[in-house]
Amino acid sequence: MADRVHPGGDSPPATAPPAAATTTAATNSPTKPSPPPGTYVVQIPKDQIYRYPPPENAKRYQKYSRKNRRSCSFCCCLCWILSLLFLLALLLAATAGVLYLVFRPKALDYAIESISIKKFNLNSTANPSQLTTTISPEFNVTVRAHNPNSKIGVYYRGGSSVAVSYAGAELCAGALPAFYQPAKNVTVFKTVMVGEGIRLSRDAYLGLMGQQRTGEIPLGLDLKVPVRVKFGSVKTWTLTVKVGCDVAVDKLGVDASVVSNKCRVRALPWKSI
């Protein structure tokens, strides 16, 4: 019996179905880039990822963390201090407002009632040909202090100063007495001021001589007095009252008369004598 031999072209290829399957799988699924040889890909859930600074930056991280903590502490402390200062300012403003409404404070009033001048004889001690003239005058000044307040008293304390000047040059200096001035009171006190070895320039000497002939010599009188103000039964801390007076006299003698005077008063909330 003869064997049947099938022609080669009629038998189906054995590898055709696997090739088709491979093509279908490549078409349906996206291609992923393959990692380079020698590497590993580890997948970790996001909730298990923790961040730590690398060892070379650990000291720098700690340094910045300490700085941030110190900065926060400083900011908190500064905010507390500013809040306390603001609260204190509000309390002081409220207290000042209450005191003003209750006591209605008024400024003190000062005036120069009389001036007696000794040892200021320009005719006998001065020489117009010289550039300077040396004098040692003595001033006896009477000051009138008026407290117009109805509920406020004033304690004049020690350590005051008073000076007389001409054209900006001080002629003599002294001090005021210490006393208490009650409300609605007028107090007249005297003070003696002495100058030693005062040198007058030639221009000042000639100016004094000319103004003495006209009968109006301008002088300046400055007072600095430490006081304590009494509001009812409460006394304040020591503050300074400054008084500046522009005074004019008719002559430089014992019987000199005050031609005009005008005083300005300024109170400072601290002691600066």
Side-chain angles (χ1 to χ4, degrees):
M1 178 186 288
D3 294 334
R4 290 183 180 183
V5 177
H6 296 283
D10 294 338
S11 60
T15 59
T22 303
T23 304
T24 304
T27 305
N28 294 334
S29 61
T31 60
K32 297 182 180 179
S34 59
T39 61
Y40 298 90
V41 178
V42 180
Q43 295 183 355
I44 302 176
K46 291 183 178 180
D47 56 352
Q48 295 183 10
I49 297 177
Y50 302 94
R51 296 183 178 271
Y52 288 94
E56 62 272 11
N57 293 336
K59 292 184 178 180
R60 184 179 300 175
Y61 173 78
Q62 294 177 359
K63 179 180 178 182
Y64 289 159
S65 300
R66 287 194 297 267
K67 283 186 176 180
N68 291 335
R69 287 194 295 269
R70 287 197 297 266
S71 178
C72 293
S73 301
F74 176 76
C75 291
C76 293
C77 183
L78 182 61
C79 291
W80 275 104
I81 292 175
L82 292 178
S83 300
L84 291 175
L85 291 177
F86 180 72
L87 181 61
L88 180 61
L90 287 179
L91 292 176
L92 290 177
T95 303
V98 171
L99 290 177
Y100 179 81
L101 293 176
V102 173
F103 294 97
R104 298 287 181 178
K106 299 178 182 178
L108 303 177
D109 182 38
Y110 296 88
I112 308 301
E113 288 198 341
S114 64
I115 296 180
S116 178
I117 305 173
K118 300 178 181 179
K119 302 178 182 180
F120 209 134
N121 189 350
L122 295 179
N123 294 329
S124 61
T125 62
N127 187 353
S129 62
Q130 296 178 357
L131 294 178
T132 59
T133 301
T134 302
I135 58 175
S136 297
E138 180 180 320
F139 282 70
N140 193 333
V141 181
T142 302
V143 182
R144 178 180 179 271
H146 176 214
N147 180 11
N149 297 280
S150 58
K151 300 179 181 180
I152 299 176
V154 181
Y155 289 90
Y156 289 79
R157 301 172 63 84
S160 63
S161 65
V162 57
V164 175
S165 61
Y166 172 77
E170 184 176 299
L171 300 178
C172 57
L176 300 179
F179 63 96
Y180 171 71
Q181 186 177 28
K184 290 290 185 180
N185 175 263
V186 176
T187 301
V188 178
F189 54 88
K190 295 184 178 182
T191 178
V192 178
M193 293 168 283
V194 179
E196 293 289 341
I198 306 301
R199 300 176 67 85
L200 290 177
S201 64
R202 184 173 182 275
D203 292 338
Y205 167 78
L206 294 177
L208 284 172
M209 290 294 294
Q211 290 163 350
Q212 186 168 228
R213 285 192 293 268
T214 61
E216 187 172 352
I217 303 171
L219 301 173
L221 191 143
D222 297 309
L223 297 92
K224 294 181 182 180
V225 189
V227 302
R228 294 186 67 182
V229 183
K230 182 181 179 183
F231 293 93
S233 59
V234 179
K235 297 179 185 179
T236 66
W237 61 90
T238 301
L239 52 91
T240 300
V241 172
K242 289 187 176 183
V243 183
C245 300
D246 297 325
V247 187
V249 295
D250 60 345
K251 64 179 69 174
L252 298 173
V254 178
D255 55 346
S257 299
V258 176
V259 177
S260 64
N261 76 91
K262 182 179 180 181
C263 297
R264 305 169 301 278
V265 182
R266 185 162 60 103
L268 303 178
W270 58 86
K271 182 179 178 181
S272 61
I273 298 296

